[in-house]
Amino acid sequence: MAADWLGSLVSINCGPTLGMYQGEVSSVDQTSQTISLRQPFHNGVRCPVPEVTFSAMDIRELKFLDIQTQSGVSRASAGQGILSDSGVISSGQSGQNSRGGYPANNTHCTTAPITILRKGEMRGLVWELYFSNWLQGPDATSPQLTTIGLGDFLYTGSPPASSSNRGPNQATPKKNGVKNGGGQMRLRDDECFGADMDEGLDTDFDFEANLALFDKAAVFSQIDGTDYNGARSRGTPGGERGTPTRYRHDENILEVKPVVYRQITVPQHGGKEYCTDSGLVVPSVSYDLHKCLLASAERHGLSLDRRLEMTGVCASQMALTLLGGPNRLTPKNNHQCPTVALLCGPHVQGAQGISCGRHLANHEVEVILFLPNFVKMQESITNELSLYSKTSGKQVASIKDLPVSPVDLVINCLDCHENGFLRDQAWYLAAADWANQNRAPVLSIDPPVSGQKQAVEAKWTLSLGLPLPIDGGEARVYLCDIGVPKQVFQEVGINYHSPFGCKFVIPLHSA
């Protein structure tokens, strides 16, 4: 029995340690359970020894690549076409296998690789049959390998024709009467993918010829003249299909009434005119008219305390913006808190400054309030000082107590509209001199109207309600809304339309 396998080509798997061996069976010893291979190959490389003997204990898998026949037909040499365990060695001959049980073919050499597993591992002998057809085309330089399943062979009784041999119009044979899930799936694949798809693929797509059929200029011209709904877009007046009118992205296409930029008129011209960023004209008013406006608002309920609070809020918002806004006042920047020096006098303008300092201190700004000591002060100042004392801000009465190093901002509230004699007092002159030498930018709140030059050179000035014709030099003028109703303006003869829009503080430019 063992002699029947002599001369067969086998592949032996000895595990990952010893590797794979292929060669011709030279001897089989059933007593010692060994098998010897002649001219062996180890992992695809010819061994330096002519023969290798294996014990059954080392063999994990044995696969027959070419079985020795008894018909006397010569075999291929062991060095021809030996592949790995998943391949087939070509014998180049035809014949009948005494153990395979299938007939030979005159044009195809059909081989039957057989796998024998160890009895100790599988407790039985397992035979795995794989059938391959070698098809030699007229122009091919090497044979084409096609593998078919065992179920196909059992049904037909002989190896079926390969898909490579099938004609262009020949359908895949159906497997009637065989319960083979793999064959059924293969039939579906052949029906779906078996059609010849090579027709028409040899012709390349001509991109240039197809691109020449596309009139790019005409298409874009039509797009420019038609909106998304297919209707004609804006054209020339009268509905003519002319070139559409072009509009900017921020321009209103609806026809509206002409914009009136002079919406504020005053009975007495103050001498200067300003304009906002949107072009609205804001005229200045005299101090007497401005005083009448505030008195009328106070009669209707806009008291001095409410006006001081509104002025302090607007001035503090402007000051916070000048200090850097959100870029400066952040929790991560606590080590660089801005410092503001507040210079105030004993009058209403000073009370407005104290209110501004209180709001700044509430926003974590270091505020240093300078206010000289007086025997008697106005009630508005006393009330504002009482609130300011509850904050973290400081209060000094001497110029010597002000910082020597430059601060971030100086807010000037030293001047008064009515008491001009304060400019000659020593504390006023010392405070103005300190502000000019500190080299910090100055914001003046509600500066007075006077023919004299301002004692403190300001970079910004903030007016209340309507601007006064002040001589601020090169200072930029800002206007804040203190909440005076429209009808109160009309009572004093001012035709008023709010120029503030969505803001409470707006810049004014010289008209």
Side-chain angles (χ1 to χ4, degrees):
M1 184 70 177
D4 295 341
W5 306 101
L6 298 180
S8 300
L9 297 179
V10 297
S11 176
I12 299 177
N13 182 7
C14 297
T17 303
L18 299 179
M20 299 287 297
Y21 287 86
Q22 295 92 13
E24 181 181 350
V25 179
S26 59
S27 65
V28 178
D29 191 347
Q30 297 181 351
T31 304
S32 61
Q33 292 291 301
T34 60
I35 182 173
S36 299
L37 300 183
R38 184 187 301 115
Q39 298 179 357
F41 281 76
H42 180 219
N43 293 334
V45 180
R46 182 184 292 274
C47 297
V49 295
E51 189 175 81
V52 178
T53 302
F54 301 90
S55 175
M57 300 295 293
D58 299 329
I59 298 175
R60 294 191 177 183
E61 184 181 16
L62 189 146
K63 188 178 294 186
F64 283 85
L65 304 177
D66 187 12
I67 302 176
Q68 168 64 22
T69 63
Q70 297 178 359
S71 61
V73 181
S74 62
R75 302 182 311 274
S77 63
Q80 292 181 350
I82 296 180
L83 305 177
S84 63
D85 59 335
S86 61
V88 179
I89 295 184
S90 172
S91 63
Q93 303 293 336
S94 63
Q96 181 174 355
N97 190 335
S98 60
R99 297 184 180 272
Y102 59 89
N105 192 309
N106 294 332
T107 59
H108 307 290
C109 175
T110 305
T111 62
I114 302 175
T115 301
I116 302 177
L117 300 179
R118 287 194 305 149
K119 181 177 180 181
E121 295 180 355
M122 300 300 296
R123 298 186 182 277
L125 187 62
V126 180
W127 297 74
E128 295 181 359
L129 301 179
Y130 296 90
F131 298 88
S132 60
N133 295 332
W134 293 86
L135 304 177
Q136 183 69 32
D139 298 332
T141 58
S142 61
Q144 301 176 353
L145 176 62
T146 303
T147 304
I148 61 177
L150 178 60
D152 297 335
F153 175 76
L154 294 178
Y155 165 69
T156 58
S158 62
S162 170
S163 60
S164 300
N165 269 345
R166 192 181 307 127
N169 298 325
Q170 183 178 356
T172 304
K174 296 182 179 180
K175 304 172 180 59
N176 297 328
V178 179
K179 295 182 179 180
N180 187 1
Q184 186 69 19
M185 293 298 295
R186 191 178 299 104
L187 176 60
R188 291 184 179 181
D189 293 344
D190 290 341
E191 291 177 354
C192 183
F193 304 105
D196 190 3
M197 301 299 294
D198 295 337
E199 298 179 0
L201 297 181
D202 295 336
T203 304
D204 295 334
F205 182 77
D206 192 351
F207 287 94
E208 295 182 358
N210 284 270
L211 185 60
L213 300 177
F214 175 67
D215 192 351
K216 186 176 180 180
V219 171
F220 277 97
S221 176
Q222 184 179 4
I223 293 174
D224 292 339
T226 307
D227 60 13
Y228 293 105
N229 296 325
R232 190 69 180 175
S233 63
R234 305 181 299 269
T236 57
E240 300 179 359
R241 297 174 61 88
T243 304
T245 306
R246 301 289 182 177
Y247 293 96
R248 299 193 311 271
H249 68 281
D250 58 346
E251 187 175 359
N252 192 358
I253 65 174
L254 301 178
E255 294 183 1
V256 295
K257 296 181 180 180
V259 179
V260 178
Y261 292 100
R262 187 177 294 276
Q263 299 181 359
I264 302 176
T265 57
V266 294
Q268 299 177 0
H269 197 275
K272 285 187 177 182
E273 284 188 347
Y274 302 93
C275 64
T276 63
D277 291 337
S278 58
L280 297 178
V281 178
V282 180
S284 62
V285 294
S286 61
Y287 172 71
D288 294 335
L289 183 59
H290 193 272
K291 185 178 179 180
C292 292
L293 175 64
L294 297 181
S296 177
E298 189 172 354
R299 287 195 304 269
H300 288 283
L302 186 61
S303 61
L304 176 61
D305 294 337
R306 299 179 66 176
R307 191 171 75 241
L308 292 177
E309 188 69 18
M310 194 66 186
T311 304
V313 170
C314 292
S316 61
Q317 287 182 352
M318 181 177 177
L320 291 173
T321 303
L322 297 177
L323 292 172
N327 298 324
R328 179 77 180 274
L329 301 171
T330 59
K332 298 181 180 180
N333 202 21
N334 290 331
H335 62 288
Q336 292 182 348
C337 293
T339 303
V340 174
L342 190 60
L343 308 180
C344 297
H347 37 65
V348 175
Q349 283 69 28
Q352 294 174 163
I354 299 173
S355 176
C356 174
R358 171 168 53 87
H359 288 289
L360 290 177
N362 292 337
H363 287 265
E364 305 300 329
V365 177
E366 295 183 5
V367 181
I368 303 175
L369 170 63
F370 168 76
L371 180 65
N373 291 325
F374 291 93
V375 177
K376 187 177 180 180
M377 292 187 183
Q378 297 183 11
E379 183 180 0
S380 60
I381 295 180
T382 304
N383 295 336
E384 291 296 333
L385 284 177
S386 176
L387 289 174
Y388 178 79
S389 62
K390 305 302 180 182
T391 66
S392 60
K394 299 179 182 180
Q395 180 182 355
V396 297
S398 175
I399 298 298
K400 298 179 181 180
D401 297 330
L402 291 175
V404 178
S405 60
V407 295
D408 293 281
L409 181 66
V410 175
I411 298 179
N412 177 26
C413 297
L414 296 174
D415 296 297
C416 179
H417 291 286
E418 297 178 353
N419 297 329
F421 65 91
L422 295 177
R423 297 169 62 96
D424 299 330
Q425 296 188 9
W427 62 267
Y428 181 96
L429 297 176
D433 186 60
W434 177 90
N436 293 328
Q437 294 181 0
N438 191 263
R439 290 182 291 178
V442 179
L443 168 63
S444 293
I445 299 177
D446 193 16
V449 179
S450 62
Q452 301 179 2
K453 185 179 178 181
Q454 298 293 332
V456 179
E457 297 180 1
K459 188 175 182 179
W460 307 282
T461 61
L462 181 63
S463 299
L464 312 181
L466 286 176
L468 299 175
I470 59 176
D471 184 13
E474 297 180 357
R476 298 188 58 182
V477 180
Y478 284 78
L479 184 67
C480 73
D481 184 9
I482 57 176
V484 179
K486 184 177 180 179
Q487 292 185 2
V488 176
F489 283 96
Q490 295 177 355
E491 287 185 3
V492 296
I494 299 176
N495 186 14
Y496 181 82
H497 291 273
S498 175
F500 292 97
C502 61
K503 301 179 180 179
F504 283 88
V505 179
I506 59 174
L508 297 180
H509 311 280
S510 298

